Amino acid sequence: MAAIAAVLCLACTHAALAAEEAPPPGDDIVVYGRALPQIGTAISGSQGVVGYQDFENKPLSRVGELVENVPGVIATQHSGTGKANQYFLRGFNLDHGTDFAGFVDGVPVNMRTHGHGQGYLDLNFLIPELVERIDYRKGPYFADVGDFSAAGTVQFTTASRLARPIAEATVGMYGYYRALAAGSAGVGNGDLLVAIDGTRSNGPWDLNEDLRKVNGLVKLSQGTTNHGWSLSFTGYHATWNATDQVPERAIASGLISRWGNIDPALGGRTTRLGLTANATLGGTKLNAYALYYDFRLTSNFTYFLNDPVNGDEFQQADRRGVFGGSVRHDFAPATVGSVPVTFAVGGDARWDHIGTIGLYSSIAGTRSGTVRQDKVDEYSGALYAEGTAALTGRLRLTLGLRGDVYGYDVDARTLPVNSGKGSDALFSPKVALAWRAADHLEFYANYGESFHSNDVRGASIRVDPATGDPAERVQVLVKARGAELGARVETARFTASLVGFWLSLGSELVFVGDGGTTEPNDATRRYGVEGSLFWRPTDWLTLDASAAATRARFHGVAPGATFIPNAVSNVISAGAAVDFGKGLSASLRLRHFGAAPLIEDDSVRSDPTTLVNLGAYYARGRIKLGLDVINLFDAKDADITYFYASRLQGEPAGGVEDRHIHPVEPRQVRASIRFAF
């Protein structure tokens, strides 16, 4: 499997050489990324590029599944479609984004001190057809990224222009409708791209999801890759009803169906408006952004455990502005002694002005009380430097150092004793060695340190607002250390990589069922092996696969309590794309993630999940027809499984410990038509 995913990387390269200059939709542009050569430039065996052609004809159930183009990453969902996905990578249940950093056109997407979960990574504002390339890097080995990057980093780059304007409509089972219109035109010496995308869906749930989502993108750009600029606006708004995870006993007893719910008043809404500016001036790259964000979510994970009369339903809210930017300068190659050297310096800054972040009790979707409401300002700055020395014609050494400083000001409006100010800082060294043993074979050795930030409300807290008990504070920045050995093989039609990794965190963020959020836990260690493959044996067939196996444990805890809940031990993905000629093509995708412990003693485990998706496409002239079958074999697996105590009406006051599942959606068919003007 590892070999297969690596092979995909190679076939995509052949076309990705044009990807940086030409946008994907609306023309027969080959924009492979997985085939782009990495030997000679990469510093690890687990980084790569995915181009539009790599995923253009892959069925997507949800936008967040774009991250599954990164070998070893799984995206699931335990709630409504409008909510950020759950992510899994290298033995992490990353919840909604902890330890997995995401960027779009250079703008960080993860939310610090978020109302629902730390590092919240909501990619629903992306329009898949306008993603030009995906750059991914795993591990803490790169100096230009800091917060949330311990497990990996993914960078999405959107197109600047289209070969032709396009209009696309999709209809599917369970009330699924989607429409997209996008086009670009020359404006002065530049290009103006405009796109709007709308989705309606009810889903298979007994309670109609009633998803209403609108995305928009306007992007003005000018110049070339080395000397140019762009200014873009993104807009996203969504509302939805949610069917969250439910206790298995409720399904088994017939109280609800597999698609049923315990609380029908759950759901949410999100609004995201962003401005982004990017410029490249020779060796200098500049980025600046401003973002408005408004989020509300109603949940109920324990039903009547804490409040037998009114129930345990609660709301979370987050309204903020985010402002920041980054700069990087790559100096011209130089020679130190007789050693060729490249050197770069950079930095970034960010300010989250959180006007309202709150947790509220609610009844039937209406707020009934305030548990906690705060105003928070969180700001950070970072500087980094990295240099690469060609020790020999085949041996490269890369050294990097990053320094981060965080500050915060928490105004606890409902319980002033929890207000506070503070700061934290740390340095993160990096070192990488790359040896090109042969023209088509390269070996890598890496060590690096990084971190994730904790919710700063946990750094200033003194009293638990729900119970009134004294509360334990957490540190703001939690260090991660990692090491990796890897190898990569590249030929004209085949690419494969294999790595072994180790990763240690000073504190793990773990999901807590009765709070519906994450909390810091003990230190952890992970060991694993990961492989990927990409292969184009012929011009009409492309194969890819990836696989990862990880051992994840808490460190420094009592024997018998070392297993990390929801730490998936193995992940497999594979696919085949066939071009039958005369405009007819097809894609088959396999996605599997294994069983995982659900509590620390491993006495309760989740079941493995395996899904297969099929897509068939026909293009003739300016028209393209598509037919996607999601969950081809109608698997009855779970998208996510948790284990905790909850209480249904009539059950004992202490509740019942049970597995709570969110099932994968049943087989469904979606048909699309695209017209290029």
Side-chain angles (χ1 to χ4, degrees):
M1 291 295 180
I4 298 179
V7 171
L8 177 61
C9 297
L10 182 58
C12 297
T13 300
H14 192 63
L17 296 174
E20 297 184 3
E21 296 296 332
D27 202 0
D28 296 327
I29 298 173
V30 183
V31 194
Y32 282 119
R34 295 186 187 266
L36 284 171
Q38 298 292 317
I39 287 180
T41 58
I43 69 169
S44 83
S46 56
Q47 67 181 101
V49 180
V50 182
Y52 179 77
Q53 188 73 23
D54 295 324
F55 57 83
E56 177 187 14
N57 290 334
K58 287 184 181 179
L60 288 178
S61 174
R62 298 173 286 249
V63 173
E65 292 175 7
L66 281 169
V67 300
E68 293 188 356
N69 288 288
V70 178
V73 177
I74 294 291
T76 67
Q77 183 58 272
H78 77 105
S79 185
T81 303
K83 188 178 177 182
N85 290 83
Q86 303 277 125
Y87 305 102
F88 296 85
L89 172 64
R90 289 193 165 183
F92 280 90
N93 171 12
L94 297 161
D95 193 54
H96 296 293
T98 59
D99 298 300
F100 186 47
F103 297 82
V104 175
D105 290 334
V107 179
V109 182
N110 300 76
M111 290 291 176
R112 306 167 175 172
T113 309
H114 187 265
H116 180 66
Q118 181 69 353
Y120 192 78
L121 178 62
D122 186 356
L123 297 171
N124 279 302
F125 68 94
L126 282 172
I127 301 175
E129 292 83 357
L130 298 184
V131 174
E132 186 172 87
R133 61 183 285 163
I134 304 171
D135 293 82
Y136 64 88
R137 300 181 295 185
K138 300 175 192 175
Y141 316 125
F142 305 89
D144 59 339
V145 287
D147 205 358
F148 308 118
S149 66
T153 303
V154 61
Q155 165 73 262
F156 296 89
T157 301
T158 61
S160 296
R161 58 190 179 277
L162 305 183
R164 295 188 183 98
I166 61 170
E168 182 172 340
T170 305
V171 297
M173 298 169 62
Y174 306 112
Y176 182 89
Y177 302 95
R178 179 174 180 251
L180 166 68
S184 62
V187 176
N189 295 323
D191 295 280
L192 177 65
L193 170 68
V194 179
I196 187 167
D197 170 27
T199 302
R200 289 287 305 272
S201 177
N202 285 327
W205 319 106
D206 292 348
L207 172 70
N208 282 344
E209 186 175 36
D210 195 22
L211 171 70
R212 304 184 182 198
K213 184 177 77 161
V214 177
N215 291 1
L217 171 65
V218 179
K219 190 174 185 179
L220 179 65
S221 59
Q222 182 176 311
T224 66
T225 301
N226 295 323
H227 291 84
W229 57 268
S230 68
L231 179 64
S232 61
F233 168 80
T234 58
Y236 163 66
H237 178 72
T239 61
W240 67 94
N241 299 324
T243 296
D244 286 355
Q245 69 261 22
V246 294
E248 287 187 325
R249 65 186 184 277
I251 300 174
S253 69
L255 177 65
I256 62 172
S257 77
R258 184 175 178 82
W259 318 111
N261 62 82
I262 305 299
D263 187 339
L266 311 184
R269 73 181 187 199
T270 300
T271 300
R272 185 187 190 278
L273 305 174
L275 283 173
T276 305
N278 283 290
T280 302
L281 308 173
T284 302
K285 294 183 178 180
L286 303 168
N287 166 268
Y289 57 88
L291 173 70
Y292 169 78
Y293 178 80
D294 188 12
F295 167 91
R296 186 183 71 188
L297 184 70
T298 304
S299 306
N300 187 349
F301 300 125
T302 52
Y303 319 121
F304 294 93
L305 180 65
N306 301 317
D307 187 338
V309 177
N310 297 312
D312 301 347
E313 186 181 286
F314 61 92
Q315 282 191 2
Q316 296 161 311
D318 190 310
R319 181 180 294 126
R320 71 177 70 196
V322 184
F323 310 92
S326 63
V327 60
R328 176 187 174 100
H329 181 74
D330 290 270
F331 294 91
T335 300
V336 178
S338 59
V339 178
V341 173
T342 59
F343 187 69
V345 296
D348 57 70
R350 173 172 168 174
W351 172 35
D352 287 63
H353 178 59
I354 310 172
T356 300
I357 180 170
L359 175 64
Y360 313 89
S361 57
S362 61
I363 301 174
T366 301
R367 290 180 186 175
S368 58
T370 300
V371 179
R372 177 168 188 172
Q373 182 170 302
D374 305 278
K375 176 180 177 293
V376 178
D377 284 290
E378 183 172 357
Y379 42 90
S380 67
L383 295 174
Y384 68 87
E386 61 182 9
T388 298
L391 303 181
T392 71
R394 291 185 175 271
L395 184 65
R396 306 186 309 277
L397 173 66
T398 300
L399 299 176
L401 181 64
R402 179 183 177 91
D404 286 85
V405 178
Y406 277 57
Y408 62 89
D409 184 352
V410 177
D411 179 7
R413 295 180 172 179
T414 53
L415 198 59
V417 69
N418 285 332
S419 298
K421 300 179 180 180
S423 62
D424 201 356
L426 54 71
F427 286 101
S428 303
K430 328 275 185 175
V431 58
L433 197 62
W435 174 41
R436 191 168 186 172
D439 289 345
H440 302 290
L441 174 65
E442 192 161 72
F443 294 97
Y444 307 92
N446 301 84
Y447 173 82
E449 298 180 5
S450 188
F451 66 95
H452 70 238
S453 62
N454 280 326
D455 189 318
V456 297
R457 292 175 297 172
S460 66
I461 193 170
R462 289 178 171 82
V463 176
D464 187 320
T467 66
D469 297 331
E472 183 178 353
R473 295 185 178 187
V474 300
Q475 64 186 96
V476 176
L477 305 182
V478 178
K479 183 174 285 292
R481 296 179 174 87
E484 182 172 300
L485 295 174
R488 187 192 310 270
V489 175
E490 287 181 350
T491 68
R493 289 184 174 270
F494 179 89
T495 299
S497 66
L498 181 67
V499 300
F501 62 88
W502 164 81
L503 188 61
S504 173
L505 267 71
S507 174
E508 184 93 0
L509 291 174
V510 175
F511 179 84
V512 180
D514 59 3
T517 186
T518 56
E519 71 177 16
N521 213 304
D522 297 293
T524 60
R525 287 180 180 172
R526 286 171 172 81
Y527 307 86
V529 62
E530 184 178 68
S532 62
L533 175 148
F534 175 82
W535 185 26
R536 294 192 73 198
T538 70
D539 289 341
W540 55 268
L541 177 63
T542 301
L543 303 173
D544 73 275
S546 66
T550 307
R551 183 184 187 275
R553 298 290 188 270
F554 284 118
H555 175 62
V557 299
T562 60
F563 288 84
I564 304 172
N566 293 107
V568 174
S569 60
N570 59 81
V571 171
I572 299 172
S573 65
V578 182
D579 184 351
F580 296 102
K582 297 184 179 180
L584 183 63
S585 62
S587 172
L588 187 70
R589 303 295 309 170
L590 167 71
R591 165 183 176 263
H592 169 86
F593 57 96
L598 297 180
I599 56 177
E600 287 79 359
D601 65 4
D602 196 33
S603 61
V604 183
R605 295 177 62 83
S606 65
D607 297 321
T609 297
T610 303
L611 295 177
V612 176
N613 296 334
L614 173 67
Y617 312 95
Y618 177 71
R620 183 177 181 85
R622 297 189 177 187
I623 295 178
K624 179 181 178 180
L625 304 176
L627 187 69
D628 292 336
V629 184
I630 310 295
N631 191 3
L632 177 64
F633 298 114
D634 201 24
K636 302 298 192 295
D637 299 335
D639 230 0
I640 192 76
T641 305
Y642 299 107
F643 183 80
Y644 55 85
S646 62
R647 180 179 181 271
L648 304 174
Q649 286 184 324
E651 290 185 333
V656 177
E657 291 191 327
D658 195 5
R659 297 201 315 178
H660 295 69
I661 68 167
H662 190 264
V664 299
E665 297 189 16
R667 179 172 50 232
Q668 53 189 289
V669 179
R670 296 176 183 174
S672 63
I673 181 171
R674 176 189 295 178
F675 183 78
F677 296 91

